[in-house]
Amino acid sequence: MEKTTFAGIVAGLACIGISILIGEGGELGSFGDLPSVFIVFGGTVASTIVSYPGTILKSLTTVYKTAFKKKEIDLQKDIDLIIDIANVARREGLLALEDAVVNIDNPFLKKGVMLVVDGADPELIKNIMEAEIYFVQERHAKGQAIIDSMADYAPAYGMIGTLIGLINMLKNLSDSAALGPSMAVALVTTFYGVVLANLLFKPISKKLKFMTAAETQEKELLLEGLLSIQDGENPRIIKDKLYSFISRREIKKVEEGKESLKPETEEIPNGQ
């Protein structure tokens, strides 16, 4: 589980709760209203169901799980793997990569290596792999669009709930003692809608977009490496080319790590 997502949501709720409690006369109980819950939660879900076909809505649970799932993308590790494959291809030829496929866990890379082994045209390999990248982005975009819609609907239903509360309040203007509590309940729905949109829906949508961008970058790196291997480029050249995908700070960190692993050579005094 990706702890930062869960921790961020909990921290946000905690900040809201603390701010309510430390306010003058603040009570958490005054922010609980069952009709408001029905209006905001129920209305948001209902509008989302109307907006999208059932086949896409079925993936919503999977989309939310993805946001809480820990998935690390290590571009340096990918570069090292590509260089290893390039060294094998340089020493033993492209056909020797068929044995190396067994040890590759990444399905995208495995598919590309097999296309190289099969002798597919470089342009064909590029088209096939880029098509896979494109459709991955499209699938992810559908799930993100649902969450973006929910982020729009939640505040809108909060306003609807507030309007309903105000209408009911105006019907009972003769009871001045009930105006304050009625107004407070009317505003609770807006509170629910804004909190849902800005603490749950929008942040998760942004995180999913970031994860899609990171996955796309990884796939583009792997594709560039595969095409370079097929073209017979020197592994050192391939490494320099793939380093353009990562920051200079990360490159420096890797190089410093490699230097620290080198065995120290004992200096020989002059004259011996």
Side-chain angles (χ1 to χ4, degrees):
M1 181 179 179
E2 217 285 307
K3 295 180 181 179
T4 57
T5 305
F6 182 75
I9 294 173
V10 171
L13 291 173
C15 290
I16 293 170
I18 291 171
S19 67
I20 292 171
L21 291 174
I22 64 177
E24 188 175 349
E27 294 181 4
L28 287 175
S30 61
F31 284 79
D33 185 62
L34 193 58
S36 298
V37 173
F38 275 111
I39 292 170
V40 177
F41 284 85
T44 300
V45 171
S47 289
T48 304
I49 292 172
V50 172
S51 301
Y52 298 93
T55 52
I56 296 179
L57 290 172
K58 288 179 180 178
S59 65
L60 188 57
T61 304
T62 304
V63 171
Y64 268 99
K65 285 182 179 178
T66 301
F68 289 88
K69 188 183 297 182
K70 187 174 184 179
K71 183 178 181 181
E72 294 183 358
I73 293 179
D74 189 342
L75 295 183
Q76 180 58 51
K77 185 178 179 181
D78 292 329
I79 292 174
D80 291 340
L81 180 57
I82 287 291
I83 300 306
D84 289 341
I85 295 173
N87 285 324
V88 172
R90 190 173 179 82
R91 289 194 308 265
E92 305 173 32
L94 293 176
L95 291 178
L97 297 180
E98 189 170 4
D99 296 330
V101 170
V102 181
N103 299 320
I104 298 175
D105 296 327
N106 189 304
F108 182 83
L109 180 59
K110 182 178 289 189
K111 179 178 179 180
V113 171
M114 287 306 301
L115 287 170
V116 171
V117 171
D118 291 340
D121 183 75
E123 192 64 28
L124 177 61
I125 294 176
K126 184 177 180 181
N127 290 338
I128 291 174
M129 305 305 279
E130 285 183 343
E132 182 168 335
I133 294 173
Y134 172 77
F135 285 113
V136 167
Q137 292 173 327
E138 284 295 298
R139 288 196 300 272
H140 290 184
K142 289 178 181 178
Q144 293 157 15
I146 297 175
I147 299 176
D148 285 337
S149 296
M150 296 177 81
D152 293 333
Y153 294 142
Y157 274 99
M159 288 300 299
I160 291 172
T162 297
L163 292 173
I164 293 172
L166 290 174
I167 291 169
N168 290 331
M169 183 186 70
L170 292 173
K171 285 182 178 179
N172 298 292
L173 284 176
S174 57
D175 187 2
S176 58
L179 290 180
S182 297
M183 185 64 177
V185 171
L187 293 175
V188 165
T189 50
T190 298
F191 172 77
Y192 285 167
V194 172
V195 170
L196 268 180
N198 293 282
L199 186 59
L200 189 64
F201 298 139
K202 286 183 180 180
I204 286 181
S205 175
K206 286 182 180 294
K207 180 160 191 176
L208 289 172
K209 289 172 184 175
F210 175 83
M211 293 172 71
T212 298
E215 185 177 344
T216 299
Q217 184 185 31
E218 180 189 36
K219 284 180 166 56
E220 289 174 346
L221 181 151
L222 294 175
L223 174 57
E224 185 65 36
L226 284 170
L227 294 175
S228 298
I229 290 170
Q230 188 181 36
D231 198 36
E233 293 182 13
N234 187 294
R236 289 194 300 273
I237 302 298
I238 297 175
K239 182 179 180 180
D240 291 338
K241 183 189 294 186
L242 297 184
Y243 266 167
S244 64
F245 284 83
I246 61 179
S247 66
R248 291 184 179 273
R249 185 180 63 180
E250 291 175 334
I251 295 173
K252 185 177 179 182
K253 184 177 178 182
V254 171
E255 295 301 328
E256 288 176 351
K258 288 180 179 178
E259 286 294 329
S260 65
L261 292 175
K262 288 183 179 180
E264 295 183 1
T265 56
E266 184 179 353
E267 293 186 2
I268 301 175
N270 290 333
Q272 292 188 9

